[in-house]
Amino acid sequence: MMMTDKVTILIPSYQPNTHLIRLAHTLADLGFRHVIIVDDGSSDAKQHYFEEAAARGATILHHETNHGKGAAIKTGIRTAAELYPEDYGIVTADGDGQHLPEDILKVADALAQHPDSLVLGVREFRRGETPWKSYCGNRITSAFFKASTGVRLKDTQTGLRGIPKALYATALSTEGDRYEYEMHFLEDTVKEVPHIQIPIETVYEDNNAGSHFRPIRDSARVYARPLRFVTSSLTSSLLDLLLFWILMQILPMYTAIAISTATVIARVISSIFNYNLNRVWCFKSRENVARSGFRYILLLLVQTGMSAGFVTLLSTILSATLIAKIIVDVSLSVFSYYAQKHWVFRKKEVRHEPLQRSIQPTA
């Protein structure tokens, strides 16, 4: 049996053009028999493109309204798991001409040969040859991804991915329904299974004008986790300062005991607040409260000791205690984010019940 018969191609699509039809024709000519296209709420004027793709053998699923690329991928995965349970996995591809059929075939072949690995089709980003928002976006997300996971990927924004069947449950539980979904999925899986990076062509027609990515709003979604962490940290720091000020107004006098008491009480309350905010809002953790709380306390103690030690050491070198503290605390905040994400509030392995036998696209 050909490799193309054991891999499902999944194409999320919104407001498509003739590229979708050409891709559906070429995929059929290449021997792909399992092609799923998810119409993510496209207008009535665009429906004929899906009809023509269906005529070439593609399975078309429809969202009544636009839910986002992540939601479309989840709908496609649910259907692929039901219709083609024997396939090695799925290959997600864009239908706007960014992914060449031969590159889709390369990723599908790699997935079939390595059915336990995550396969990424990675592009080369050259200054002057790549649209600025794609060039800058990839550089920023790659740097953040390396700091957050410790893994360096050439292209964190690639939509051409071979997802093995073993990752279906994780893919369905990954946070996010829009463009942030793809980054979150990489963060959740890149250490769960081996990953393979396959070089692919970089295609940007008309300066990538067909992209539905909104730089400000969608970037905020992509960086939602670190932004929530920063917001949580700042809010907790302000609470700490406010509580310290209030306590100093209540305590009888500015003595060493009063200052120490106010400092400890304010820090304990703000730390409890920060822990719960990070657990519920920032990392949305399902980890046992007692276990994660104990780890959080240990991390807090270690971080406090590291801060005191490094500030003391660096201040002797720079002869500027305030500057030393700023440098150390900013560095430790990155360390704290990484430690909380991967240790304190580490994500539990998700186990899903078997999928229902009826196709249930996202409403």
Side-chain angles (χ1 to χ4, degrees), residues 88-330:
Y88 296 120
I90 67 169
V91 171
T92 61
D94 293 339
D96 57 3
Q98 284 198 44
H99 299 145
L100 300 180
E102 50 266 36
D103 287 331
I104 296 174
L105 180 60
K106 284 165 57 178
V107 172
D109 284 342
L111 178 62
Q113 294 172 29
H114 305 278
D116 295 323
S117 298
L118 175 66
V119 183
L120 302 174
V122 297
R123 300 160 292 180
E124 288 289 339
F125 291 88
R126 299 183 178 89
R127 188 189 298 271
E129 298 179 11
T130 306
W132 71 269
K133 67 180 181 180
S134 298
Y135 180 84
C136 295
N138 186 73
R139 287 293 180 265
I140 294 172
T141 54
S142 293
F144 163 72
F145 192 84
K146 179 65 167 63
S148 175
T149 66
V151 177
R152 179 173 181 79
L153 296 179
K154 296 179 179 178
D155 184 0
T156 57
Q157 297 178 305
T158 178
L160 183 54
R161 304 175 177 188
I163 301 175
K165 188 162 52 177
L167 290 182
Y168 281 4
T170 302
L172 291 173
S173 66
T174 294
E175 175 188 355
D177 285 334
R178 296 189 179 276
Y179 283 100
E180 76 278 10
Y181 170 84
E182 293 181 300
M183 174 65 81
H184 292 169
F185 175 74
L186 283 183
E187 292 178 330
D188 293 343
T189 60
V190 74
K191 288 189 173 182
E192 187 175 334
V193 298
H195 61 276
I196 300 171
Q197 300 186 66
I198 304 293
I200 63 173
E201 291 294 325
T202 305
V203 180
Y204 291 113
E205 293 194 359
D206 194 20
N207 201 37
N208 206 23
S211 173
H212 298 289
F213 185 84
R214 298 160 296 186
I216 296 177
R217 183 182 300 181
D218 290 322
S219 292
R221 292 178 182 275
V222 169
Y223 301 114
R225 286 176 178 174
L227 287 175
R228 289 198 296 258
F229 180 79
V230 170
T231 302
S232 172
S233 299
L234 291 175
T235 304
S236 301
S237 297
L238 290 174
L239 177 62
D240 183 67
L241 290 173
L242 178 61
L243 290 172
F244 177 81
W245 180 81
I246 292 174
L247 289 168
M248 290 306 297
Q249 308 309 307
I250 297 174
L251 294 174
M253 61 184 67
Y254 276 82
T255 63
I257 294 178
I259 294 174
S260 298
T261 301
T263 299
V264 171
I265 293 176
R267 181 56 54 88
V268 169
I269 295 176
S270 64
S271 295
I272 293 174
F273 172 80
N274 180 255
Y275 162 77
N276 283 289
L277 195 60
N278 285 350
R279 179 177 64 86
V280 175
W281 181 57
C282 183
F283 297 106
K284 300 182 179 179
S285 174
R286 300 177 183 176
E287 183 64 88
N288 177 272
V289 173
R291 186 181 297 112
S292 62
F294 177 71
R295 290 172 178 166
Y296 181 87
I297 293 172
L298 285 181
L299 176 63
L300 186 64
L301 293 174
V302 170
Q303 192 170 343
T304 301
M306 292 174 66
S307 178
F310 285 124
V311 168
T312 300
L313 177 62
L314 194 58
S315 62
T316 60
I317 298 175
L318 299 177
S319 299
T321 303
L322 182 59
I323 295 177
K325 181 170 176 55
I326 292 174
I327 294 174
V328 170
D329 285 354
V330 169

Side-chain angles (χ1 to χ4, degrees), residues 44-104:
D44 291 342
K46 299 291 185 178
Q47 293 306 308
H48 67 96
Y49 292 116
F50 296 107
E51 294 169 2
E52 293 190 45
R56 292 297 295 172
T59 297
I60 311 297
L61 306 176
H62 296 278
H63 288 175
E64 291 299 323
T65 58
N66 179 259
H67 291 284
K69 189 176 183 181
I73 290 175
K74 291 175 185 177
T75 293
I77 290 175
R78 291 189 188 99
T79 304
E82 177 186 344
L83 296 181
Y84 314 119
E86 301 304 319
D87 280 9
Y88 296 120
I90 67 169
V91 171
T92 61
D94 293 339
D96 57 3
Q98 284 198 44
H99 299 145
L100 300 180
E102 50 266 36
D103 287 331
I104 296 174

